[in-house]
């Protein structure tokens, strides 16, 4: 499910499960995944700076993407895991910000 809310993703996963059952396939044989744009900062100020650099309002980012501090990003990923997402693809928009990638690797990944 690319770029959908937790609620919408859960509904889509449920539809897939129903379709599998109707076709005689085990729903657990599917790999459920989501994709989202990510924006992470070691603190609120850094998150806001990164969101502005890619043209997003921080609050909009929290609603429409996966954004915030490392703990907040990990918690949002956890919400997707709770509905059955086994894989989460994170889209980073500012590829020149290597510190952003390092922060996700060092402070988010160990939490998920």
């Amino acid at each position: 499910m690319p770029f959908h809310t937790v609620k919408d993703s859960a509904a889509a996963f449920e539809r897939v499960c129903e379709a599998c059952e109707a076709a005689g396939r085990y729903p657990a044989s599917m790999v459920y995944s989501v994709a989202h744009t990510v924006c992470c900062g070691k603190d609120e100020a850094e998150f806001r700076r990164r969101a502005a650099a890619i043209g997003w309002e921080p609050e909009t980012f929290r609603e429409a993407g996966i954004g915030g501090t490392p703990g907040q990003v990990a918690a949002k990923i956890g919400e997707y895991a709770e509905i059955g997402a086994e894989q989460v693809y994170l889209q980073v928009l500012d590829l020149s910000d290597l510190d952003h990638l390092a922060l996700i690797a060092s402070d988010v990944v160990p939490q998920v």
Side-chain angles (χ1 to χ4, degrees):
M1 286 301 304
F3 313 108
H4 285 79
T5 65
V6 173
K7 181 180 176 182
D8 289 344
S9 296
F13 290 173
E14 182 60 32
R15 288 190 302 274
V16 170
C17 288
E18 291 169 1
C20 285
E21 290 170 356
R25 182 174 177 176
Y26 293 108
S29 68
M30 301 294 292
V31 176
Y32 299 88
S33 63
V34 297
H36 263 291
T37 304
V38 66
C39 182
C40 185
K42 65 184 174 207
D43 55 30
E44 185 67 19
E46 187 173 83
F47 162 63
R48 289 180 171 279
R49 180 185 58 74
R50 283 196 170 111
I54 57 174
W56 284 63
E57 291 294 326
E59 296 315 311
T60 302
F61 210 108
R62 284 190 170 102
E63 294 170 20
I66 296 179
T69 62
Q72 292 167 334
V73 169
K76 186 70 170 256
I77 291 171
E79 290 179 34
Y80 284 100
E82 288 175 12
I83 64 160
E86 300 167 81
Q87 297 177 353
V88 178
Y89 298 94
L90 300 175
Q91 178 187 43
V92 176
L93 295 180
D94 185 356
L95 297 179
S96 67
D97 185 355
L98 298 180
D99 290 336
H100 188 210
L101 296 175
L103 178 66
I104 292 168
S106 67
D107 291 22
V108 175
V109 172
Q111 296 183 59
V112 298

